[in-house]
Amino acid sequence: MAERSDPVQIMKQEVGKAAAARVKSNSIVGLGTGSTTAYAIEYLGKRLQQGEIKNIVGIPTSFQAEVLAKKYGIPLTSLDAVDKIDIAIDGADEVDPQKNLIKGGGAAHTREKVVDSLAEEFIVVVDGNKLVDKLGSTFLLPVEVIPMAIAPVMRSLAKLGGKPELRMGIKKAGPVVTDQGNLVVDVKFEQIDNPAELEKTINNIPGVLENGLFVGVADVILIGEIKDDQPVIREM
């Protein structure tokens, strides 16, 4: 846990709290991945322990979310066992004015897309610097690829006008491996004019499992910002 006095951490906590506060009793909750969502999971666990809400079951989008849910006492289930997800809380790497997202900084975007798309309400928690006019302006587009197809997929992505790079591990020799055992290619596009079209085109490349464009999935965007050293939360 970072120092409580760090305004950015406090703001992330507050955004996470604001999202967790929207979860009602008797809900199946998609639990997203990342630093801001981690606070939402923590706060959801607290609400459950304190008896503010009851009968909450989580569906994790990653190993990280699963570990946090267990730590904070949120019972878990799987997609095999449920027929719907009431609400999902997740972060994003970029958000455009139409509420389209780029996700996948944590390489969990495939599982996140499955869970977030199924949710009746999908709440996105971000800080203000994730807002962009056009997707792809600050963040590379992550594409999850099965290992045998990495060379042809990278050639196809280059043909689409992207600059693809295999994501390498930071504290690990060799490439990043996803929770599904696949690789991640990060692609720089000069600009993404039609996210819906690009999402489909990339997903149609043989060997691609999923990409980080989330088009028409988000319902609510909660944005945390620092104003006069104080955390402020607004809804987009």
Side-chain angles (χ1 to χ4, degrees):
M1 222 31 134
E3 284 299 308
R4 290 275 172 191
S5 57
D6 175 4
V8 174
Q9 288 305 328
I10 293 170
M11 181 264 293
K12 284 186 169 193
Q13 286 170 356
E14 292 303 319
V15 181
K17 269 187 180 179
R22 293 179 175 232
V23 177
K24 300 181 176 76
S25 291
N26 310 313
S27 297
I28 296 162
V29 187
L31 303 173
T33 307
S35 55
T36 310
T37 317
Y39 288 120
I41 295 173
E42 180 186 353
Y43 187 62
L44 194 56
K46 282 187 178 149
R47 291 190 68 203
L48 203 50
Q49 302 314 315
Q50 289 162 0
E52 256 185 65
I53 48 174
K54 56 183 196 300
N55 190 23
I56 295 297
V57 188
I59 294 192
T61 56
S62 63
F63 188 62
Q64 182 216 24
E66 194 175 322
V67 168
L68 285 170
K70 286 176 180 164
K71 179 177 174 183
Y72 295 116
I74 301 169
L76 295 175
T77 187
S78 69
L79 290 175
D80 301 335
V82 301
D83 54 6
K84 67 175 172 55
I85 297 172
D86 298 295
I87 187 168
I89 300 170
D90 212 341
D93 299 302
E94 281 190 346
V95 181
D96 79 3
Q98 287 74 45
K99 298 185 183 174
N100 297 320
L101 321 172
I102 283 184
K103 288 173 55 50
H109 54 282
T110 298
R111 282 170 69 176
E112 288 170 343
K113 199 181 276 192
V114 172
V115 170
D116 298 343
S117 304
L118 286 169
E120 291 185 13
E121 184 180 29
F122 173 29
I123 298 177
V124 179
V125 288
V126 287
D127 47 86
N129 61 15
K130 305 287 173 70
L131 303 180
V132 294
D133 291 329
K134 253 191 186 166
L135 292 181
S137 33
T138 59
F139 205 82
L140 304 177
L141 176 63
V143 180
E144 183 164 348
V145 183
I146 65 170
M148 68 163 282
I150 208 82
V153 167
M154 285 177 84
R155 285 195 294 271
S156 299
L157 290 166
K159 277 186 194 144
L160 290 175
K163 292 194 182 80
E165 268 189 26
L166 184 60
R167 187 182 300 183
M168 303 307 277
I170 304 284
K171 293 186 175 176
K172 164 191 177 295
V176 167
V177 178
T178 69
D179 288 353
Q180 290 75 245
N182 297 312
L183 304 176
V184 177
V185 175
D186 290 308
V187 193
K188 172 67 185 159
F189 286 98
E190 277 321 310
Q191 53 183 46
I192 298 174
D193 290 320
N194 189 336
E197 199 57 38
L198 188 62
E199 181 183 21
K200 291 193 185 89
T201 304
I202 291 176
N203 278 358
N204 273 333
I205 299 171
V208 168
L209 187 58
E210 190 52 85
N211 70 78
L213 285 165
F214 283 52
V215 177
V217 186
D219 297 302
V220 176
I221 315 278
L222 295 179
I223 303 152
E225 283 160 327
I226 310 275
K227 299 254 165 82
D228 307 323
D229 277 348
Q230 292 300 314
V232 181
I233 290 149
R234 65 184 172 92
E235 187 178 326
M236 182 171 171

